[in-house]
Amino acid sequence: MGGTPVLEMLDRVRGEVVTAQSPGYDDARRVYNAMIDRRPLAVVRAVDVADVRIAVTAAAEAGLDVAVRAGGHSVPGFGTVDDGIVIDLSRMKGIRIDPRARVAQVQTGCTWGDLDHAASSFGLATTGGIISTTGVAGLTLGGGIGYLARAHGLSCDNLRSADVVLADGTLVTASDDDHPDLYWALRGGGGNFGVVTSMEFDLHEVDTIYGGPMFFELDAAEDILRTYREWIADAPREMGAFPAFQIAPPLPFIPQERQGEPFVLLVSCFNGPDDVGAKLLRAFRDIADPVAEHVERMPYAGLNSAFDGLLPPGLQHYWKANFVEELTDAAIAAHVEHGPKVPALQSTMHLYPINGAVHDVASDATAFAYRHASFAPVIAGMWPDAASNADNIAWVRDYYEATAPHSEEGGYVNFMADDDRDRVRANYGGNYDRLVEIKRRYDPDNLFHLNQNLLPAAPQAPLRSQRPKEPSAHN
Ligand SMILES: Cc1cc2nc3c(=O)[nH]c(=O)nc-3n(C[C@H](O)[C@H](O)[C@H](O)COP(=O)(O)OP(=O)(O)OC[C@H]3O[C@@H](n4cnc5c(N)ncnc54)[C@H](O)[C@@H]3O)c2cc1C
């Protein structure tokens, strides 16, 4: 393998080591966001914990940057790096469901589709993202917002324990009993602390649900958002629902002549009886008749993958986000001005509710700090053609600037673009100092810095990738 010492160390990997000389290199280095185009020294497709330990140790000894990739959905492209080592976990797909204890043990190459599939065969699920191709690991480590959050908390609130390979190659289990500080930090603190190889989750009874998307004319947008604000504050926790702005895709339930037009949506997921769900949704039907809808009883896993086809890998992505404590009339006015200008079929604004069970957990009980916020909106720019980057990025930025004055300072780390890295302190609010202290203990050299990075050193050290490369003993 090339004669380079770091690659020689990787010879012991049981999975695959893909370098620029390998036939599948372009495929191996690609991430979900097509704007990201980086050339790693090697992509290690790990198949077990031993492979992860070898890769971490080799990269640390050689002084190389390490990118950790699970589902590959990071919008800033944290799952890849120029000239460094990518640890790609996507082949580690083991899942064990214990239906009696209602617990899932999940290897971190799994997507939400993998976990939904395994758990749904027992009528069980846990809070996960609304696109099933997103990685369980990256989403959970940043918090994890989805349809079930009002009933069962964030994904990270359902994380009982995690196996983690630390920067020195040791493997630890973090839970309430073992390494409790690390366990606290992993629940919202992102990929800052090590490579998580396995996660244990609480599961809940979620089989079929009543819900789906409703498309309303844009002139109803203000009423829909105002009604939603009051409605979601009191709705039963079994109701997960969010409003959105979206161009109607070419789907059979949407009249052909309206496809391609922007609408305001309500997307719902009610884990309860049809008649109760229907009665709850009447609040929106009373405002206007939907132009199109696909509300019915369906498997939870079906709803959780319903938008997958719209968002294949290879789109351009640029996202921005802030938490919102109170959705004021002024904030709604900003949404009503900018949402309808959505410029691409795939782009959207989703206004996720994070009340209910998310508020049952204290802000300092896990690293995810914004428990007092009621909403986590995301302005997600996604479009196919790089030639349209300027227009699409401008829509996201204009929309963001209009809503930011009505929002909290911090936003959800998993929705942050690359140009938001200076907001890490704000994103963690009152939990920031404790996180930095834990980072200092578990990753003092900041080996794991390709993330919304907590800098362990004071005064702040430059990122590894900004330091001149030191020749290591092996090179
Ligand atoms: C189409 C789409 C839909 C989304 N929907 C939702 C949603 O509904 N709810 C929500 O909360 N978020 C959502 N997100 C945001 C998502 O949570 C983040 O993009 C998340 O980082 C993706 O995780 P991943 O494993 O797929 O990505 P990756 O790019 O593989 O990982 C992102 C980062 O997470 C860290 N990481 C990942 N795995 C590990 C590991 N095993 N050990 C240590 N660190 C690790 C690393 O820092 C890594 O760089 C969505 C994103 C996209 C693109």
Side-chain angles (χ1 to χ4, degrees):
M1 194 172 292
T4 312
V6 67
L7 296 180
E8 277 171 16
M9 288 177 75
L10 295 177
D11 264 344
R12 290 186 292 126
V13 164
R14 197 160 200 190
E16 199 184 351
V17 178
V18 184
T19 67
Q21 284 71 45
S22 312
Y25 181 66
D26 281 336
D27 186 40
R29 70 190 182 86
R30 196 173 295 132
V31 290
Y32 187 75
N33 181 358
M35 260 187 212
I36 312 291
D37 180 17
R38 297 190 186 129
R39 301 186 67 82
L41 180 68
V43 178
V44 177
R45 287 179 164 151
V47 294
D48 57 18
V49 174
D51 280 357
V52 173
R53 298 186 66 209
I54 292 165
V56 166
T57 310
E61 286 192 16
L64 293 171
D65 289 323
V66 178
V68 181
R69 187 193 305 167
H73 273 204
S74 161
V75 169
F78 289 141
T80 187
V81 62
D82 277 329
D83 304 322
I85 305 292
V86 172
I87 302 178
D88 177 350
L89 301 159
S90 62
R91 293 197 178 164
M92 293 177 58
K93 286 218 180 263
I95 299 183
R96 181 179 185 274
I97 305 290
D98 181 339
R100 283 212 311 168
R102 293 191 184 161
V103 170
Q105 188 74 47
V106 183
Q107 281 193 311
T108 46
C110 291
T111 61
W112 287 102
D114 297 327
L115 179 51
D116 286 347
H117 171 74
S120 66
S121 98
F122 301 98
L124 299 170
T126 198
T127 307
I130 62 151
I131 301 292
S132 84
T133 53
T134 308
V136 169
L139 185 138
T140 301
L141 292 170
I145 297 169
Y147 292 115
L148 305 181
R150 295 187 71 242
H152 302 297
L154 301 168
S155 307
C156 71
D157 298 335
N158 290 283
L159 183 70
R160 295 164 70 119
S161 71
D163 290 350
V164 193
V165 175
L166 301 176
D168 64 1
T170 55
L171 174 73
V172 298
T173 297
S175 69
D176 257 337
D177 301 323
D178 292 323
H179 297 271
D181 272 356
L182 178 61
Y183 176 54
W184 177 89
L186 290 175
R187 288 174 291 160
N192 270 286
F193 305 96
V195 185
V196 179
T197 54
S198 188
M199 295 173 141
E200 189 187 19
F201 288 98
D202 283 322
L203 298 174
H204 312 276
E205 264 182 59
V206 185
D207 194 350
T208 58
I209 56 86
Y210 177 84
M214 298 159 100
F215 288 67
F216 295 94
E217 299 283 10
L218 287 172
D219 61 11
E222 185 174 345
D223 283 346
I224 297 276
L225 290 177
R226 285 182 182 219
T227 299
Y228 174 80
R229 169 179 65 193
E230 319 300 335
W231 177 85
I232 200 69
D234 297 327
R237 288 176 173 208
E238 291 74 22
M239 175 60 86
F242 61 88
F245 287 98
Q246 173 89 51
I247 291 176
L251 292 172
F253 69 91
I254 300 171
Q256 217 170 352
E257 68 279 8
R258 305 305 305 271
Q259 294 171 6
E261 288 183 35
F263 290 92
V264 59
L265 273 66
L266 185 85
V267 185
S268 59
C269 173
F270 182 59
N271 188 21
D274 291 9
D275 57 337
V276 181
K279 200 168 160 197
L280 283 162
L281 293 182
R282 183 149 297 285
F284 299 94
R285 294 187 194 283
D286 286 347
I287 297 170
D289 287 332
V291 175
E293 64 175 293
H294 195 253
V295 175
E296 59 183 23
R297 181 147 293 274
M298 62 178 95
Y300 165 74
L303 180 61
N304 228 19
S305 54
F307 299 109
D308 290 5
L310 197 58
L311 300 173
L315 299 173
Q316 312 283 312
H317 287 255
Y318 183 75
W319 295 24
K320 278 205 169 296
N322 269 17
F323 289 114
V324 169
E325 198 173 338
E326 212 184 312
L327 189 64
T328 60
D329 290 348
I332 288 176
H335 282 287
V336 171
E337 184 187 344
H338 290 272
K341 296 179 191 163
V342 55
L345 181 67
Q346 296 84 359
S347 289
T348 193
M349 189 290 301
H350 288 179
L351 187 80
Y352 297 116
I354 50 167
N355 59 352
V358 181
H359 286 188
D360 291 348
V361 179
S363 285
D364 61 356
T366 70
F368 187 96
Y370 273 87
R371 304 281 181 171
H372 58 287
S374 300
F375 303 100
V378 59
I379 306 157
M382 302 178 274
W383 63 97
D385 181 7
S388 321
N389 284 8
D391 287 351
N392 283 279
I393 290 172
W395 174 70
V396 175
R397 288 197 173 136
D398 290 350
Y399 197 157
Y400 173 77
E401 272 160 32
T403 50
H406 314 291
S407 310
E408 299 290 294
E409 195 188 351
Y412 175 35
V413 289
N414 276 350
F415 290 160
M416 293 285 148
D418 203 28
D419 55 8
D420 274 323
R421 290 217 218 177
D422 56 349
R423 291 175 61 196
V424 175
R425 181 183 281 274
N427 295 342
Y428 287 113
N431 289 339
Y432 181 78
D433 289 343
R434 183 173 174 198
L435 274 165
V436 169
E437 190 269 318
I438 296 170
K439 172 79 174 173
R440 228 171 255 158
R441 257 188 291 142
Y442 283 93
D443 184 20
D445 294 331
N446 206 7
L447 180 67
F448 302 108
H449 67 81
L450 292 167
N451 42 51
Q452 295 291 339
N453 196 223
L454 300 157
L455 293 172
Q460 296 186 338
L463 297 177
R464 273 172 164 259
S465 51
Q466 292 164 352
R467 288 183 223 153
K469 289 258 161 36
E470 291 159 21
S472 86
H474 299 280
N475 281 324

